[in-house]
Amino acid sequence: MSASATEGLDRSAVAVSVVIPAFNAAGFIGRAISSVQEQILQDVEIIVVDDCSRDDTVAVVQGLARADPRISLVRSPQNAGPSAARNRGIAAAKGRWIAVLDADDAYAPDRLALLIGLGEEEGLDMVGDDIRYFDAVAGAETGRGGANETGAVKAVTLDGFLVASMFRPSALALTGRPPLQYALLKFIFRRSFIEDSGLRYPEHLRDNEDFHFYARCLIAGAKAALAPFAGYLYTQRVGSLSGRKSGQTRTLVDRSRVVVAVDELLQAHGRDLSSRQLALLRARRSQAMGLGAFEKALALVHERRAFSALRLLAMTPPSWGFVSQALVQRARRTTTAG
């Protein structure tokens, strides 16, 4: 179901609820909250969900909340991961729209105004934008992700989302630029769609939860689009300028969770999907297995266990595409440097 721009509009509700899951984020959550406070659109509530932090995250948020009544703190009884924290925030939300902001990221000042304006005008249920990469160590932006460079609003269908969820492009599309997975984007959602569909983030997944949730929203009939601007500042795990880890991300990368998420989607919705959609899901599953093996092989090489690395790659054919991609990219860098 898709809501129109005016259907069921509750003028008494706050425009948007921004949900910020937080775990041991005392050193950087102030930046995330400040970026919401500085939005052009001021009709917001900020819901910070603390996932049993062991540092001063709670104290930092409480101090900020004393100065701004739009900030509220929800405390989880036990550490349960980002999906559970987001769901707690969604349950507490009163906004007509729900936006998620990771504690180590930030918004550009016009992001919410532009996204909500587009969502209302087009009658959308999900609205996203491109990301700006941010190197926390260098303290600088490092470029856009490339999700929508058309200069126009771009519709997002289930097929298109799955195509943009591959871990590597086809051999014919190797440009040297890593693909931006749409699962990295942070869509905002019309709260009535989320409530009417009964959808929530998968709490058993601590990695790949965004892909799982977005896919289920699209399967449920969400009308979605990407705006032609980049308003989400995404902190890189390893800064592309500094070459150093940010020390801020709390996500534990686990490629096996990708396999679990795909298998669950196939089991729950396989009969309702087209043959192309099924093939795309299976391709994502295969690529995740290959990428996981490739990453483990690299770690083995660093441990000077080259034979073990080669054996792992030989036993996992989907990894070969990533090996080829790495070799092509290395050759291009060498050529450019020469």
Side-chain angles (χ1 to χ4, degrees), residues 12-49:
S12 66
V14 67
V16 57
S17 301
V18 179
V19 176
I20 307 178
F23 176 69
N24 290 348
F28 45 86
I29 194 170
R31 170 175 170 261
I33 293 174
S34 176
S35 76
V36 183
Q37 292 174 307
E38 295 170 1
Q39 289 294 296
I40 292 173
L41 175 66
Q42 287 286 295
D43 187 18
V44 303
E45 65 172 355
I46 304 169
I47 304 171
V48 179
V49 185

Side-chain angles (χ1 to χ4, degrees), residues 181-200:
Q181 291 189 54
Y182 279 12
L184 287 179
L185 304 178
K186 286 294 184 288
F187 288 88
I188 69 169
F189 303 89
R190 192 182 293 272
R191 185 162 67 94
S192 60
F193 172 81
I194 298 299
E195 296 298 336
D196 292 347
S197 302
L199 294 170
R200 292 293 185 272

Side-chain angles (χ1 to χ4, degrees), residues 59-309:
V60 170
V61 175
Q62 288 175 333
L64 294 171
R66 283 193 288 271
D68 189 342
R70 296 176 300 171
I71 301 173
S72 61
L73 175 66
V74 177
R75 301 183 70 175
S76 301
Q78 61 185 15
N79 179 270
S83 288
R86 290 172 183 174
N87 289 342
R88 285 184 178 276
I90 291 172
K94 300 180 178 66
R96 295 191 298 273
W97 291 87
I98 294 175
V100 171
L101 173 60
D102 288 343
D104 58 332
D105 296 335
Y107 290 162
D110 57 354
R111 181 178 193 256
L112 293 178
L114 291 171
L115 289 184
I116 291 173
L118 176 61
E120 298 289 5
E121 180 179 350
E122 300 291 334
L124 301 171
D125 303 306
M126 297 171 57
V127 196
D129 56 346
D130 203 354
I131 62 175
R132 305 183 197 175
Y133 290 118
F134 180 76
D135 184 329
V137 177
E141 295 181 27
T142 63
R144 287 181 58 159
N148 183 7
E149 298 177 315
T150 65
V153 177
K154 181 179 180 180
V156 178
T157 64
L158 178 58
D159 287 57
F161 174 74
L162 295 176
V163 168
S165 295
M166 297 298 115
F167 291 95
R168 64 177 181 83
S170 68
L172 296 177
L174 286 177
T175 62
R177 180 180 184 180
L180 173 70
Q181 291 189 54
Y182 279 12
L184 287 179
L185 304 178
K186 286 294 184 288
F187 288 88
I188 69 169
F189 303 89
R190 192 182 293 272
R191 185 162 67 94
S192 60
F193 172 81
I194 298 299
E195 296 298 336
D196 292 347
S197 302
L199 294 170
R200 292 293 185 272
Y201 282 88
E203 298 191 2
H204 60 293
L205 295 178
R206 293 193 178 217
D207 185 21
N208 200 54
E209 71 280 356
D210 287 308
F211 169 81
H212 191 281
F213 182 65
Y214 298 165
R216 290 180 63 218
C217 286
L218 292 167
I219 291 170
K223 184 179 179 183
L226 285 178
F229 58 82
Y232 191 93
L233 278 66
Y234 177 89
T235 298
Q236 296 172 304
R237 183 182 296 271
V238 178
S240 56
L241 287 178
S242 67
R244 295 170 58 188
K245 293 182 179 180
S246 71
Q248 297 183 6
T249 181
R250 299 295 180 254
T251 300
L252 299 176
V253 176
D254 184 355
R255 306 302 179 189
S256 69
R257 298 295 90 191
V258 178
V259 175
V260 170
V262 170
D263 286 347
E264 290 180 354
L265 290 172
L266 289 172
Q267 182 175 359
H269 304 287
R271 294 182 179 179
D272 303 320
L273 302 178
S274 69
S275 58
R276 182 168 188 259
Q277 291 163 353
L278 292 172
L280 288 169
L281 279 170
R282 290 170 182 143
R284 177 175 170 82
R285 185 186 194 279
S286 176
Q287 287 192 9
M289 294 175 64
L291 179 57
F294 175 68
E295 291 169 338
K296 290 177 182 177
L298 287 179
L300 289 170
V301 170
H302 290 155
E303 296 171 4
R304 299 188 177 182
R305 299 169 60 190
F307 178 77
S308 296

